Amino acid sequence: MYPTIPYLRQSGRKGQALARAQEAVDIFTALNATDPAAYGPKLAAAKKLVADIQAETQPADVQSADVRPGDVQSGDVQSG
């Protein structure tokens, strides 16, 4: 399961990689409930992997569409 994720990512099969990474999160979440010291770091790594793959699969315009304070000018807001 886990070793296949880098292969799937590099092969351009990011959807399948994301599914496997999410499966790893689910498994490590259950295992973490029994032994947090042993599985907590693995759960954190799996969650980061999911986030990384999701960031790779988002279109560039969605990634750059974050609105920051100061982006909206006073004339940009319409009242009424």
Side-chain angles (χ1 to χ4, degrees):
M1 168 186 49
Y2 221 111
T4 62
I5 296 170
Y7 170 77
L8 291 170
R9 283 174 81 182
Q10 293 171 0
S11 300
R13 296 159 58 184
K14 294 186 187 342
Q16 291 175 326
L18 181 59
R20 297 297 160 260
Q22 186 58 56
E23 183 181 352
V25 168
D26 295 343
I27 291 169
F28 287 129
T29 297
L31 291 170
N32 187 55
T34 63
D35 190 353
Y39 296 106
K42 293 179 182 184
L43 174 59
K47 286 182 176 183
K48 182 179 181 331
L49 185 57
V50 167
D52 290 347
I53 296 170
Q54 286 175 333
E56 289 175 6
T57 58
Q58 285 183 342
D61 60 332
V62 172
Q63 291 179 5
S64 63
D66 294 333
V67 177
R68 288 172 233 111
D71 285 351
V72 177
Q73 303 296 321
S74 60
D76 293 342
V77 179
Q78 296 178 355
S79 60

